[in-house]
Amino acid sequence: MVYSVEQNTFIVMSYYRNGTFVDGAWLYSVAACKQEYLANYPDLEIQETSLEAHIRDVINRFVRTGNVNKGKSSGRPAVSEEVVDDLRERLEQNPQTSLTRLSQQSGVPVTTCHKVVKKRLHMHPYKITTVQQLLPIDPPRRVEYCNWFQNTFHDDGLLDLTFFSGEAWFHLSGYVNSQNFRIWSAENPHVFVETPLHPLKIGVWLAVSRRRIYGPIFFHDTMTGERYRQQILEPFIQQLDDEELQLGYFQQDGATAHTARAILEYLQQHYNDRVISLGVQHAFPPRSPDLTPLDFSIFGYLKDKVFQRQMNNLAELQHEIERWVQSIDGRMLQNIFESKKKRVNMCLELNGEHFQHLL
């Protein structure tokens, strides 16, 4: 039976209320306390022997702690301020110190280090952001592009008509980052991942505007200018509506196959001066995947979804890619282009330098 605080308080008061002073000392009776308790709580079915044992436990607890109910264990003694200050100083000197190394250096148990760092120092582990290296000539180009983007795309209507394109390789074997992938087990399960010498892969090309996505177009060989025009650009342009073709822009990266003279001339035949690419008036800055919707969002999303399960052949891989591309809806596209605007603003604030670590 679980006794309430009220019942335990009654037991203590009854025990001492029924005490008698004999020969200079107080004498207390468990039996008297029990009888008064049963009279006060007549509706409860209680075994008297069990009640007597409970009365003794409550009285002993009250004498020892001053409490009538069980309290939380005091546990380990509190960590002193000197220890907290020492751990703070060590982390400030070397923020990359692991908790294991911090424990070894300070002599404080790892579990205590973890609690102090998290609850007392309010520190949290943050991953390092890996970004593409920028050359000294890149920040001014990025600033020029971002200023042009802000001045040109000041409303969402034009972004609805403009396509940002890109391509990526999807490997059948998927992708495993051994530095981040862990398996918790009581014993080493000796798990390994086989990587073929010549991995099977498929190339994916997509183009995305604020209101719709075109593709995927798949390819298996290294992209050349001729293949790029015949397999990708011609089908893409054929499906554009008049408004997209007459008012919208087309962006591509600086891959050699994309910036060949014949390719740029072909694009300008359809888009006039509304091409965003290296080699034309509106140059897209090199080494800037952080400003391209497909690179900073969509390709990462697709790989996370597609490789949730293992596939046996390229046909299955292609089917999964198509399925997840179809899952990208209008709301997601709008959010991606809001992120694009935010990234352009941050790039300008930092004068073209890296900004991903601040997102």
Side-chain angles (χ1 to χ4, degrees), residues 19-217:
T20 57
F21 192 75
V22 179
D23 296 332
W26 282 97
L27 300 178
Y28 302 98
S29 171
V30 172
C33 177
K34 180 185 67 175
Q35 295 302 321
E36 188 172 12
Y37 181 90
L38 293 174
N40 193 72
Y41 298 97
D43 298 331
L44 298 179
E45 297 182 359
I46 304 173
Q47 294 183 357
E48 294 189 15
T49 55
S50 174
L51 177 59
E52 290 179 2
H54 178 71
I55 291 172
R56 292 189 177 91
D57 289 342
V58 171
I59 298 303
N60 289 336
R61 185 185 309 122
F62 181 76
V63 171
R64 186 176 66 255
T65 67
N67 296 320
V68 297
N69 272 24
K70 292 181 180 180
K72 293 184 178 180
S73 172
S74 59
R76 297 179 180 179
V79 180
S80 66
E81 289 300 325
E82 290 79 7
V83 171
V84 174
D85 291 339
D86 178 60
L87 295 180
R88 178 189 292 108
E89 183 177 350
R90 293 179 186 275
L91 287 176
E92 288 175 350
Q93 292 176 354
N94 187 2
Q96 297 182 12
T97 302
S98 67
L99 290 180
T100 301
R101 179 62 60 86
L102 183 64
S103 173
Q104 294 170 348
Q105 294 174 346
S106 63
V108 178
V110 175
T111 53
T112 302
C113 287
H114 183 266
K115 291 179 181 178
V116 170
V117 170
K118 184 176 181 180
K119 297 183 179 181
R120 300 282 290 277
L121 300 180
H122 305 291
M123 293 181 177
H124 305 278
Y126 295 95
K127 291 183 179 180
I128 295 175
T129 302
T130 302
V131 297
Q132 187 162 351
Q133 182 182 13
L134 293 177
L135 300 180
I137 61 174
D138 290 334
R141 293 180 177 181
R142 286 159 61 86
V143 169
E144 181 180 359
Y145 166 78
C146 290
N147 278 322
W148 173 82
F149 180 90
Q150 282 191 335
N151 293 331
T152 303
F153 298 95
H154 44 75
D155 65 77
D156 292 333
L158 190 54
L159 286 174
D160 288 343
L161 306 175
T162 296
F163 282 90
F164 295 79
S165 67
E167 57 197 46
W169 288 102
F170 284 66
H171 293 256
L172 183 61
S173 58
Y175 172 75
V176 175
N177 185 339
S178 60
Q179 297 301 316
N180 294 331
F181 188 76
R182 295 290 185 270
I183 295 178
W184 289 93
S185 175
E187 298 180 358
N188 187 348
H190 301 291
V191 174
F192 62 89
V193 176
E194 290 184 335
T195 301
L197 180 61
H198 302 290
L200 296 174
K201 61 183 180 179
I202 188 169
V204 178
W205 185 90
L206 291 169
V208 59
S209 71
R210 185 178 174 274
R211 71 178 179 181
R212 71 186 184 100
I213 188 167
Y214 174 78
I217 295 178

Side-chain angles (χ1 to χ4, degrees), residues 181-295:
F181 188 76
R182 295 290 185 270
I183 295 178
W184 289 93
S185 175
E187 298 180 358
N188 187 348
H190 301 291
V191 174
F192 62 89
V193 176
E194 290 184 335
T195 301
L197 180 61
H198 302 290
L200 296 174
K201 61 183 180 179
I202 188 169
V204 178
W205 185 90
L206 291 169
V208 59
S209 71
R210 185 178 174 274
R211 71 178 179 181
R212 71 186 184 100
I213 188 167
Y214 174 78
I217 295 178
F218 297 102
F219 56 93
H220 301 276
D221 301 312
T222 301
M223 188 59 63
T224 65
E226 184 178 358
R227 289 172 181 162
Y228 182 53
R229 173 175 173 169
Q230 294 179 353
Q231 299 178 17
I232 293 178
L233 291 182
E234 290 180 357
F236 167 71
I237 290 176
Q238 288 175 4
Q239 59 82 46
L240 293 174
D241 63 36
D242 292 340
E243 195 175 22
E244 290 169 336
L245 198 55
Q246 295 171 7
L247 300 176
Y249 286 73
F250 176 78
Q251 179 271 334
Q252 62 178 7
D253 62 30
T256 302
H258 301 173
T259 56
R261 178 180 297 179
I263 295 300
L264 294 178
E265 289 177 352
Y266 174 78
L267 286 171
Q268 289 171 333
Q269 288 175 7
H270 297 278
Y271 278 98
N272 296 319
D273 63 346
R274 289 171 287 110
V275 178
I276 309 168
S277 172
L278 287 179
V280 296
Q281 178 183 356
H282 308 303
F284 186 80
R287 292 170 288 277
S288 298
D290 52 343
L291 295 173
T292 310
L294 286 163
D295 288 324

